[in-house]
Amino acid sequence: MKKWIALLLVSAMVLSVAACGSTPGESSKGEDAPPASDTKSFTTAVEGKLTMATNATFPPYEYLEGNEITGIDAEIAAAIAEKLGLELQIDDMEFDSITEAIKSGKADIGLAGMTVTPDRQEEVDFTVSYATGVQVVIVTQDSAIASVDDLFAEGASHVVGVQRNTTGDIYTTDDIEKEGLGTIDRYGKGAEAVQALKTGKVDCVVIDNEPAKAFVAEVEGLKILETEYVTEDYAAAMSKDNKALYDAVNAALEELIADGTVKGIVDKYITAE
Ligand code: GLN
């Protein structure tokens, strides 16, 4: 599948970006290198705050618990903010508004289980990747769709539900709609696509594996196909025009990955199979 090649290339780019991020001298590994918070050469959208743009409908990465946005991304952002001596502020918005919020400088960091893609890399810079996502397919328990390949089979004509402008939308638009193998129904929220599956409006939903698990646990009669569609890297999106903040955030995130903080946060929300 051609997607794999593109994503491998993106992974390689993320790694090389990560490598460039730690230039000699400002590496956190050196004994006398100052911690990121000692070198506040950066500016943020709101002084003293790290403003995170997200879409809190994506459990367990970001979701509402009462009025509070919680989840893996919220905790990682809080840890980054703490390292930089900033207060975390989270702005909830539609997923497809996040890139614009970053580009316009209204938000400092887009953390939303966001996949690194070549098109998005033209709009924003991505930090080092902090998690892996997998696009999976949710079907009803009695579905005739038995594997991902059934969606691309000759003569296939399924209605596929996705969250608008997510990678699930992008891949299925290319692989299914443009190939004449079905139509794509785009929803504002993943949960709405799942409801459409439940009520028979769509034949399946393509979405990231972790929210898929959360939705299937909530809605009866659904299952996730065992075959995976695409594996991808999640990273934080940042403006191309605020290099100092990018370097500080990226260095903080690298430290949090290296010292096991990120893994601890992920493990708290995702139990290993
Ligand atoms: N990982 C997917 C993407 O980046 C979905 C993210 C989301 O819905 N929050 O497009």
Side-chain angles (χ1 to χ4, degrees), residues 106-138:
K106 281 203 191 100
D108 300 307
I109 179 169
L111 262 175
M114 194 185 281
T115 305
V116 181
T117 72
D119 282 350
R120 290 176 185 165
Q121 280 175 317
E122 298 200 353
E123 310 281 315
V124 292
D125 274 349
F126 282 100
T127 61
V128 61
S129 172
Y130 63 90
T132 302
V134 183
Q135 293 299 310
V136 295
V137 182
I138 309 177

Side-chain angles (χ1 to χ4, degrees), residues 52-56 91-102 107:
M52 161 180 164
T54 197
N55 172 246
D91 287 354
D92 196 11
M93 60 189 75
E94 292 290 310
F95 180 75
D96 58 1
S97 302
I98 296 172
T99 307
E100 202 41 53
I102 295 298

Side-chain angles (χ1 to χ4, degrees), residues 54-55 57-58 61-62 73 95 98 112-117 120 133 135 163-170 190 207-208 211 232-234:
T54 197
N55 172 246
T57 65
F58 196 72
Y61 285 90
E62 42 270 326
D73 287 338
F95 180 75
I98 296 172
M114 194 185 281
T115 305
V116 181
T117 72
R120 290 176 185 165
Q135 293 299 310
Q163 185 182 3
R164 189 172 298 112
N165 278 335
T166 60
T167 46
D169 181 3
I170 297 163
I207 195 163
D208 303 51
E232 25 184 52
D233 289 317
Y234 291 168

Side-chain angles (χ1 to χ4, degrees), residues 2-3 24 37 44 46 49 106 114 116 118 138-139 147 163 179 186 206 209 215 218 223 249 261 267:
K2 54 188 188 290
K3 289 277 146 36
S37 55
T44 54
V46 180
K49 291 192 177 182
K106 281 203 191 100
M114 194 185 281
V116 181
I138 309 177
V139 292
S147 89
Q163 185 182 3
E179 298 293 327
R186 299 170 181 89
V206 173
N209 55 338
F215 294 141
E218 255 170 50
K223 65 177 181 186
V249 166
T261 305
D267 287 352

